[in-house]
Amino acid sequence: MFLGTHAPRLDEKGRMFLPAKYRDELAGGLVVTKGQERCLYVFPVREFERITQVLRAAPVTAKAVRDYSRVFFASASDELPDRQGRVTIPANLRAYAGLDRDCVVIGANTRLEIWDARTWADYEAEQEQVFAELAEEVLPGVL
């Protein structure tokens, strides 16, 4: 499970240090792809394989499935962190997410998300009230 908020920076080669607490889990490889709201999703290989199986079982006759799968897989890049725990973020994905230097990496349960720091701050500020109002709808009887 991925939790928390981290603030790494991209270096001049488009590399980023993975949060130290997740390096062991991601050492064997990861997949980076486009996420919603102009962030990037980072999956451990095993979780990406699970999602692949779910999408493989979805009906190819459904346009939404085809559309989502095309973008999701076409933008995916399998990466292997170096010995220092850095991972390269491909240029096309950096452009999609507007990543320049200051980033935010958030834990999102089964994945990490990489955001441009300013974009994340704006999103988080916008979502605070929505978050407060959604608790009953999303987690009825839990909170």
Side-chain angles (χ1 to χ4, degrees), residues 7-65:
R9 289 188 167 170
L10 285 174
D11 69 13
E12 64 282 348
K13 295 180 181 177
R15 296 175 302 190
M16 180 185 74
F17 281 101
L18 293 168
K21 66 192 280 183
Y22 301 125
R23 288 182 193 162
D24 287 345
E25 187 171 351
L26 299 171
L30 55 93
V31 177
V32 183
T33 191
K34 290 179 180 178
Q36 276 70 40
E37 290 86 33
R38 294 282 178 176
C39 73
L40 301 179
Y41 289 168
V42 179
F43 296 100
V45 171
R46 187 171 301 173
E47 177 63 11
F48 191 80
E49 289 169 350
R50 185 190 69 77
I51 293 167
T52 298
Q53 292 303 320
V54 170
L55 287 169
R56 184 174 287 152
V60 73
T61 55
K63 184 173 180 349
V65 171

Side-chain angles (χ1 to χ4, degrees), residues 36 39-42 104-108 111-115 120:
Q36 276 70 40
C39 73
L40 301 179
Y41 289 168
V42 179
V104 172
V105 175
I106 65 164
R111 68 178 183 271
L112 293 172
E113 293 182 359
I114 304 173
W115 292 75
W120 171 251

Side-chain angles (χ1 to χ4, degrees), residues 93-111:
L93 293 175
R94 291 194 314 266
Y96 168 79
L99 302 178
D100 184 31
R101 178 131 172 92
D102 294 323
C103 301
V104 172
V105 175
I106 65 164
N109 194 356
T110 61
R111 68 178 183 271

Side-chain angles (χ1 to χ4, degrees), residues 57-119:
V60 73
T61 55
K63 184 173 180 349
V65 171
R66 292 192 312 273
D67 291 344
Y68 186 86
S69 292
R70 287 172 181 145
V71 173
F72 188 74
F73 290 111
S75 64
S77 178
D78 54 335
E79 301 293 332
L80 189 62
D82 67 16
R83 286 184 291 189
Q84 295 174 328
R86 294 177 301 193
V87 64
T88 299
I89 308 300
N92 65 314
L93 293 175
R94 291 194 314 266
Y96 168 79
L99 302 178
D100 184 31
R101 178 131 172 92
D102 294 323
C103 301
V104 172
V105 175
I106 65 164
N109 194 356
T110 61
R111 68 178 183 271
L112 293 172
E113 293 182 359
I114 304 173
W115 292 75
D116 166 72
R118 179 82 244 144
T119 303

